[in-house]
Amino acid sequence: MSTEVLSLSVLRRLEAESIHILREVAAEFERPVLMYSVGKDSSVLLRLAQKAFHPGRIPFPLLHIDTAYKFPEMYAFRDRVCAEAGVELRVLRNEPALAADANPWDLGTVKCCGFLKTQGLLDALRAGNYDAVIGGARREEERSRAKERIFSFRDRHGQWDPKNQRPELWNLYNGRIQPGESMRVFPLSNWTEVDVWRYVAQEGIEVVPLYFATEREVVRRGGQIIPAGAKTRLLPGERSERLLVRYRTLGCYPCTGAVASSARTVGEIITELEQTRFSERVTRVIDHDQDGSMEQKKREGYF
């Protein structure tokens, strides 16, 4: 069997599994919501949800937790794609924290993320009274995410205990919860970064242009290439420069590192990733903070 045929077979199996999970969520929960971060995984999840419920509408809203520090291209892409898809998009921000000028330069990335992402998410989930929250996290991204079940239980405070999770045998998922509890659901758990891009290619899914290589204004810091945005504060001795780079993962621009790359098409990205031995999470500044391990953040309510 050729590599191309094998890849197509794998994608069909992954697609079927993800669609089954999305339909299970719609059947088992009363107030589900799909997290939409505007990245490639969210774009794939949106396509899978459209397929899962075709020809009907997606039976739950999309939720974007806006930190106010996303790339401008992400906001424009979000609004246009959701409008074209005809989905209900809900955007929430931690306004008290933003009014107090929460930012990663003064607070550090861990505290800033705690206010704008974790607390913003928990506030939004309480306000919407959602009992199931669908996200695009994948097990191969990072060690703590490898511990996640597909249906990942959260207590009344939205917190995760990796030792208090339910067995998942034969694709059977236990969605029973008590009032105040919730479930995080990860339909892309068994996908890899390359699988996501192969599916993007197969389906012709549009993604934010930030994923493709072009010359961008950046600054080198701590072994990483950081975008030089409108509010970026340069350290003594630093200067910005233009380099040919792209982004493997997208988040808040102060905390998202670029990679040197000449990949300008989806096919070139796939070829590049087939030779890469490092997770895309290595470009996230916050994942390298000593007191900001992913597992600790997830215990506090981070996605």
Side-chain angles (χ1 to χ4, degrees):
M1 183 180 294
S2 70
T3 302
E4 184 177 350
V5 173
L6 181 60
S7 297
L8 180 60
S9 175
V10 170
L11 288 182
R12 285 175 175 166
R13 176 181 59 78
L14 290 171
E15 179 190 65
E17 179 186 58
S18 298
I19 287 175
H20 167 68
I21 293 166
L22 288 166
R23 289 173 176 166
E24 282 292 301
V25 172
E28 290 195 42
F29 297 92
E30 296 182 6
R31 296 173 302 279
V33 68
L34 190 154
M35 298 299 300
Y36 184 70
S37 69
V38 198
K40 63 185 184 304
D41 302 301
S42 287
S43 295
V44 166
L45 266 183
L46 177 57
R47 175 61 57 84
L48 290 167
Q50 289 172 319
K51 283 192 168 189
F53 304 105
H54 180 79
R57 293 170 60 89
I58 298 174
F60 37 73
L62 274 60
L63 176 64
H64 180 220
I65 304 302
D66 181 13
T67 64
Y69 288 102
K70 302 297 183 183
F71 291 87
E73 296 93 330
M74 295 176 69
Y75 291 117
F77 183 89
R78 177 198 69 187
D79 295 341
R80 178 176 59 79
V81 168
C82 288
E84 292 174 355
V87 296
E88 179 186 355
L89 174 67
R90 300 177 182 178
V91 180
L92 285 96
R93 310 197 310 180
N94 186 344
E95 297 294 353
L98 289 172
D101 192 29
N103 67 79
W105 300 288
D106 293 325
L107 296 177
T109 57
V110 175
K111 288 185 178 179
C112 183
C113 185
F115 284 126
L116 299 183
K117 295 187 74 172
T118 302
Q119 193 58 50
L121 173 63
L122 294 176
D123 290 346
L125 298 185
R126 279 192 289 267
N129 197 25
Y130 303 116
D131 53 1
V133 188
I134 305 164
R138 310 184 315 273
R139 289 189 179 122
E140 54 95 43
E141 284 183 86
E142 194 270 340
R143 285 175 296 179
S144 67
R145 285 183 167 169
K147 299 178 182 180
E148 287 277 19
R149 300 290 194 268
I150 290 175
F151 274 36
S152 182
F153 175 76
R154 295 300 195 271
D155 65 19
R156 296 172 185 268
H157 305 289
Q159 296 179 334
W160 175 66
D161 180 356
K163 296 181 180 180
N164 183 26
Q165 299 297 315
R166 300 166 180 180
E168 293 179 338
L169 307 175
W170 307 291
N171 291 331
L172 298 176
Y173 307 111
N174 183 352
R176 294 181 181 180
I177 54 175
Q178 298 297 320
E181 299 172 342
S182 64
M183 202 72 71
R184 305 280 174 90
V185 182
F186 303 105
L188 302 184
S189 286
N190 293 325
W191 296 55
T192 67
E193 186 181 5
V194 174
D195 292 330
V196 168
W197 281 110
R198 286 176 177 156
Y199 194 73
V200 167
Q202 173 186 292
E203 296 289 310
I205 299 172
E206 184 181 5
V207 294
V208 184
L210 292 162
Y211 286 114
F212 302 109
T214 190
E215 283 195 358
R216 294 185 168 93
E217 197 75 16
V218 297
V219 60
R220 299 176 188 269
R221 178 180 300 170
Q224 292 192 307
I225 304 173
I226 308 298
K231 297 182 179 180
T232 300
R233 301 179 191 176
L234 298 180
L235 300 177
E238 286 184 340
R239 63 178 182 83
S240 63
E241 56 184 313
R242 292 191 67 80
L243 295 177
L244 183 63
V245 299
R246 74 177 191 88
Y247 297 97
R248 287 178 65 185
T249 179
L250 297 176
C252 298
Y253 75 80
C255 307
T256 301
V259 294
S261 171
S262 60
R264 300 177 186 270
T265 68
V266 174
E268 289 174 349
I269 288 175
I270 292 171
T271 299
E272 180 181 273
L273 292 176
E274 288 174 338
Q275 303 172 29
T276 298
R277 296 294 177 265
F278 300 99
S279 166
E280 65 201 89
R281 297 297 306 194
V282 301
T283 63
R284 288 290 184 96
V285 175
I286 189 170
D287 287 358
H288 300 281
D289 289 341
Q290 187 173 9
D291 58 346
S293 73
M294 176 62 77
E295 180 159 334
Q296 180 57 37
K297 293 196 292 288
K298 288 173 68 65
R299 288 176 181 268
E300 295 167 354
Y302 186 81
F303 222 91

